[in-house]
């Protein structure tokens, strides 16, 4: 496997950033580039300094996760894309196992299982990912809400050439919106092994912005509902 994988890490005032970078640097698969995009942070950026000679580091004004991901993608040279939130971590074999899985299946898009971790980085859950044996079940479930953890996703970079980048007007559902945009065109393969540690903590966005998130999820569902209904119908017939 000589495919290059770009890991984009959006960063905004996150105290866990060093652990995220370490987990990206410690991958068993070596042909990677790590792009950390500082999205207008006012604190914790000193934690990035020890890694500057091993990563690509970009600073920008605050614009949200989608804008940070997009800037990372625009500056990438990889064949595949992976996204790592600054408060989460990758298992050391994440890139190697998922890339091999994608190449074997000739997949353009895949997502994996994951564990929940706490502030200290200890695993506090059983595997949380959801796989579906039938495509129609997956489509029906995605029509109601997102079951794909963004940091478990790996995409062939050509997906962005076909469908553009994440929608920067969406502050919370840029990933859900993008998956719904590509679902009618690419099969989303599920890798059942847990490859990501997803951190649950008091300052996480999903806890801080619950009400705004709910509204944005609803409007994202409405934006795609006609297309998703047609997709479910096409699989049933």
């Amino acid at each position: 496997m000589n495919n290059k994988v770009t890991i984009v890490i959006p960063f905004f005032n996150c105290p866990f950033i060093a652990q995220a970078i370490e987990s990206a640097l410690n991958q068993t698969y070596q042909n990677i580039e790590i792009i950390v995009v500082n999205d207008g942070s006012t604190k914790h950026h000193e934690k990035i300094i020890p890694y500057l000679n091993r990563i690509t580091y970009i600073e920008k004004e605050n614009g949200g996760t989608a804008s940070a991901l997009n800037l990372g993608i625009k500056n990438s040279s990889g064949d595949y894309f992976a996204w790592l939130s600054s408060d989460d971590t990758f298992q050391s074999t994440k890139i190697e196992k998922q890339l091999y899985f994608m190449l074997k299946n000739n997949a353009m898009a895949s997502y994996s299982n994951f564990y929940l971790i706490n502030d200290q980085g200890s695993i506090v859950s059983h595997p949380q990912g959801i796989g579906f044996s039938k495509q129609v079940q997956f489509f029906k479930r995605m029509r109601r809400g997102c079951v794909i953890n963004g940091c478990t996703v790996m995409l062939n970079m050509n997906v962005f050439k076909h469908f553009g980048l994440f929608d920067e007007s969406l502050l919370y559902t840029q990933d859900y919106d993008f998956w719904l945009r590509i679902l009618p065109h690419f099969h989303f393969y599920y890798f059942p092994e847990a490859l990501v540690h997803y951190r649950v903590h008091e300052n996480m966005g999903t806890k801080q912005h619950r009400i705004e998130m709910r509204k944005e999820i609803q409007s994202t569902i409405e934006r795609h509902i006609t297309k998703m209904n047609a997709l479910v119908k096409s699989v049933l017939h």
Side-chain angles (χ1 to χ4, degrees), residues 123-137:
I123 293 172
V124 293
S125 75
H126 297 297
Q128 298 291 297
I130 306 172
F132 299 86
S133 54
K134 292 194 173 76
Q135 192 76 335
V136 69
Q137 293 169 336

Side-chain angles (χ1 to χ4, degrees), residues 4 6 8 33 35 71-78 80-81 157:
K4 188 180 197 178
T6 301
V8 180
E33 68 176 350
I35 302 178
L71 190 58
I73 293 161
K74 285 174 191 165
N75 284 276
S76 70
S77 61
Y80 287 82
F81 160 84
M157 280 289 186

Side-chain angles (χ1 to χ4, degrees), residues 11-18 21 36-52 55 57-60 86:
F11 164 67
F12 179 71
N13 292 347
C14 178
F16 304 107
I17 180 65
I21 295 172
V36 175
V37 182
N38 182 342
D39 187 33
S41 292
T42 54
K43 51 189 179 183
H44 301 303
H45 32 51
E46 73 285 348
K47 293 177 190 250
I48 298 169
I49 294 167
Y51 306 104
L52 288 177
I55 63 171
Y57 179 60
I58 305 169
E59 290 186 337
K60 65 186 274 304
S86 53

